[in-house]
Amino acid sequence: YERTCRYLCRKTSSVVVCVGYRLAPEHPFPAQFEDCLTAAIHFLRTAQDHGVDPCRIVICGDSSGGTLTAAVAQALVNRRDLPKLRAQILIYPFLQCVDINLPSYQQNERVPILLKERTLALGLKYVNVDLGLIKELFKGCHVSEDRRLKYQKWVSPDYIPHEFKTRGYKPSPTYLPSKEICEVAESMLDPVFSPLLAEDSVIAQLPETFILTCEFDVLRDDGLLYKKRLEDHGIKVTWCHLQEGFHGTVSALSLKFLYAPYS
């Protein structure tokens, strides 16, 4: 990511700080979030030491970095001892583990680089949950009935615009939850892991947001659903959708431009 960050720094004339957070499985969830939050708090407090206006700080991340960005932004909304974030940038973020059968998961389950099963396998490794539960999680057996009722107002194919369902989407059957699996997978429904599940009181205080989604990405609909939640609470959202895009597009493009002068 150093080359990508250098590219962003040069193109935006900004100070770019990249957090070298600890990695799983050696450092299990939520160590990564805690590292990013600690770094964000430190920089908000010391921004002027780096020639940065503390009122113009934007946090950004792609993929799981988008998850961490969203979680950090949520954690900061009630901090009165820090400057407010100017904005957050979420690039094809992973935002929920309630429904792994949204239209984008069905349509792009075999599209490299982020296959549907790989997405969930990485998530399970992150929170140290047995990979043997993948099939049960695909069925939604990890979400209790009361939580299912609560989350359906935020996570549902009904909130995905029709134009994103034309590539072969079929509603999924409903399976009964398993108490045992619900307990094991509890951490996957924590808003730190699934920021789309944060309470309305938190969502309503978030800063202006930029969201990038890609058509050929299992995580496309996470971005679409978060966009809706934010807009429903009056948060200004700038949305960019890459019709021919795939997961990892931004890193691929930045590397292309970085290497181009030497080719």
Side-chain angles (χ1 to χ4, degrees), residues 83-96:
K84 291 292 185 183
L85 291 174
R86 172 63 183 85
Q88 62 175 338
I89 297 174
L90 309 178
I91 301 172
Y92 34 75
F94 172 92
L95 296 171
Q96 61 84 31

Side-chain angles (χ1 to χ4, degrees), residues 80-232:
R80 302 293 177 243
D81 58 326
L82 298 169
K84 291 292 185 183
L85 291 174
R86 172 63 183 85
Q88 62 175 338
I89 297 174
L90 309 178
I91 301 172
Y92 34 75
F94 172 92
L95 296 171
Q96 61 84 31
C97 197
V98 172
D99 190 342
I100 315 298
N101 289 296
L102 292 171
S104 61
Y105 270 104
Q106 290 189 23
Q107 296 161 345
N108 303 310
E109 63 179 338
R110 295 184 179 86
V111 176
I113 56 173
L114 196 61
L115 311 182
K116 176 179 176 178
E117 187 165 333
R118 177 180 295 170
T119 304
L120 197 50
L122 292 172
L124 291 173
K125 288 182 179 180
Y126 181 35
V127 292
N128 196 27
V129 173
D130 184 1
L131 297 185
L133 297 181
I134 283 183
K135 291 184 178 179
E136 299 304 310
L137 268 68
F138 281 155
K139 296 177 181 178
C141 297
H142 63 299
V143 185
S144 63
E145 290 290 355
D146 57 331
R147 287 194 167 185
R148 195 171 289 180
L149 287 172
K150 177 181 180 178
Y151 296 153
Q152 68 182 8
K153 61 182 178 180
W154 302 330
V155 184
S156 171
D158 295 342
Y159 302 137
I160 304 299
H162 176 71
E163 60 265 30
F164 293 103
K165 298 178 181 178
T166 57
R167 265 197 307 122
Y169 166 68
K170 293 182 180 179
S172 300
T174 301
Y175 296 90
L176 292 175
S178 161
K179 183 178 180 180
E180 179 183 356
I181 295 175
C182 288
E183 292 175 353
V184 171
E186 175 75 20
S187 56
M188 302 186 81
L189 302 180
D190 185 323
V192 171
F193 185 89
S194 296
L196 187 56
L197 306 183
E199 297 295 333
D200 288 337
S201 58
V202 173
I203 299 294
Q205 299 182 71
L206 288 170
E208 182 177 347
T209 302
F210 175 93
I211 298 176
L212 184 141
T213 56
C214 294
E215 179 61 27
F216 299 100
D217 181 9
V218 291
L219 302 182
R220 180 197 69 200
D221 293 350
D222 283 22
L224 296 178
L225 291 174
Y226 206 50
K227 171 180 177 290
K228 181 183 186 303
R229 278 208 76 191
L230 292 167
E231 291 176 336
D232 285 349

Side-chain angles (χ1 to χ4, degrees), residues 4 7 92 212 242 245-246 248-260:
T4 301
Y7 176 78
Y92 34 75
L212 184 141
L242 303 182
F246 54 90
T249 290
V250 170
S251 296
L253 285 174
S254 63
L255 286 171
K256 174 184 176 183
F257 290 129
L258 279 162
Y259 282 114

